[in-house]
Amino acid sequence: MDYFLAIALCIGWMFTISLTRGFKVINYFWRLIQIMIIRDVLKFLFIYLFVLLAFTFAFHALFQVSATLSDLYPNPVYTVFLMFNMLIGMEYVFEYGVVDEGLSSLSRSTLFMKILYVIYMVLATIVLLNLLIAMMNGSYQEILRKQTQTWRIESVKLGVDVERIMPLTFPMFSKVKITKGFICPSDQTIGVIRWYIEVAKVKQSVCECGAHEDKDKAVLGELASKMATMAEQIQSLKTNVDGIYAMMTNNQDKTSAIDKQKIKHTVISGENN
């Protein structure tokens, strides 16, 4: 029973984080954790699982040579925890000299095990962990680029969920108003009730409107100037192409005339002979 209680408490408190995604500051971290766990960490764990199992069985086979080491790591489960702790720097296989003593009692060297340890640390710690960091950095940049849009979407979703669960409450997680009712007269006629969002009206002063109009006119003028320049360049290019085509046609006519003269001269020479 205590196992189920522990699992329920863990899942419950972790799920509570999702209820904070309506706040702009916390939504960023919520999305970051969610995407990194689902997309990046799972891919890393899938690849790391094969590396972990490979070196776990390799080290476990070496441990079985010594009675001391076989008692310390009686089954591969203990060796798996050892390899994982070495990945995060929590444990060292050659710590306290237990491995050295166990192998030296059999007149065996720890050189091969140390080489295997170096290969594992390079492959798992340097390569795979840095690859995971690079993947997380890509996810971080993507979430940062879409932060504003995703926060608004998540806040609206959370507001709708809260209102469905507790209809008497008002939306607290968004500046927009989520309302349930008739959107248009036709909905009222047929009795269709929908959820919709009321957005606050934006007040804009006359000066701001004039500034925007002047800016738009400047942009349009610049665009028209560039289009005129492009039209002139296209016309010039067309003229050059027409000139080249005329030259090629003239050269072709001259070549045809020369070929005809050569053929005529050849025929006359043949008749004389």
Side-chain angles (χ1 to χ4, degrees):
M1 188 65 182
D2 53 342
Y3 297 111
F4 293 103
L5 179 60
I7 295 174
L9 289 173
C10 182
I11 295 176
W13 280 106
M14 292 297 293
F15 180 76
T16 307
I17 302 177
S18 65
L19 300 178
T20 62
R21 67 183 187 273
F23 298 98
K24 186 176 182 180
V25 178
I26 304 178
N27 178 266
Y28 175 73
F29 295 99
W30 154 251
R31 294 290 300 172
L32 192 64
I33 294 173
Q34 185 183 30
I35 291 180
M36 283 186 176
I37 291 177
I38 295 176
R39 187 172 62 186
D40 299 333
V41 176
L42 288 181
K43 292 179 181 178
F44 167 78
L45 291 178
F46 181 76
I47 300 299
Y48 175 67
L49 178 63
F50 294 97
V51 177
L52 179 65
L53 292 177
F55 284 91
T56 294
F57 288 112
F59 273 90
H60 188 71
L62 296 175
F63 290 157
Q64 301 308 306
V65 177
S66 172
T68 304
L69 296 178
S70 61
D71 293 337
L72 188 60
Y73 304 102
N75 55 65
V77 177
Y78 290 88
T79 313
V80 167
F81 280 104
L82 171 66
M83 303 304 294
F84 181 76
N85 288 333
M86 284 196 299
L87 173 69
I88 59 179
M90 296 296 294
E91 196 169 350
Y92 180 56
V93 65
F94 301 102
E95 195 173 9
Y96 307 121
V98 179
V99 175
D100 295 334
E101 293 177 0
L103 294 180
S104 61
S105 62
L106 300 174
S107 300
R108 300 190 60 172
S109 175
T110 59
L111 178 62
F112 180 75
M113 189 176 294
K114 289 180 179 179
I115 294 174
L116 204 62
Y117 168 78
V118 171
I119 296 174
Y120 171 73
M121 296 304 293
V122 170
L123 183 60
T125 306
I126 298 178
V127 177
L128 291 182
L129 277 184
N130 281 281
L131 181 61
L132 176 62
I133 293 172
M135 293 169 61
M136 288 184 174
N137 186 37
S139 300
Y140 172 80
Q141 296 296 334
E142 181 181 353
I143 296 171
L144 187 64
R145 187 170 57 253
K146 301 179 181 179
Q147 178 184 3
T148 304
Q149 292 82 358
T150 54
W151 166 69
R152 295 186 183 278
I153 294 172
E154 292 291 341
S155 62
V156 171
K157 287 182 179 179
L158 183 60
V160 172
D161 293 338
V162 170
E163 285 197 347
R164 286 177 178 175
I165 297 173
M166 297 177 289
L168 299 179
T169 60
F170 60 94
M172 299 180 295
F173 301 99
S174 176
K175 294 182 180 180
V176 298
K177 183 180 179 182
I178 304 174
T179 310
K180 186 177 182 181
F182 303 108
I183 298 179
C184 55
S186 60
D187 291 342
Q188 188 173 4
T189 303
I190 60 179
V192 176
I193 300 176
R194 308 173 188 269
W195 287 96
Y196 63 93
I197 300 174
E198 293 183 3
V199 183
K201 295 181 179 179
V202 179
K203 295 182 180 180
Q204 194 172 22
S205 62
V206 178
C207 296
E208 292 178 352
C209 293
H212 287 300
E213 290 179 358
D214 294 338
K215 185 177 180 180
D216 293 340
K217 289 180 180 179
V219 172
L220 290 175
E222 184 179 358
L223 183 61
S225 176
K226 290 183 178 180
M227 291 180 65
T229 304
M230 290 177 61
E232 293 177 358
Q233 293 177 354
I234 292 173
Q235 185 64 32
S236 176
L237 182 62
K238 183 179 179 181
T239 304
N240 294 334
V241 171
D242 292 340
I244 294 172
Y245 178 75
M247 291 176 61
M248 292 178 64
T249 304
N250 189 18
N251 292 333
Q252 187 176 4
D253 294 338
K254 290 181 179 180
T255 304
S256 299
I258 293 172
D259 292 339
K260 289 180 180 179
Q261 290 179 0
K262 288 182 178 180
I263 294 172
K264 184 177 180 181
H265 180 71
T266 303
V267 172
I268 294 173
S269 299
E271 291 177 354
N272 293 332
N273 293 331

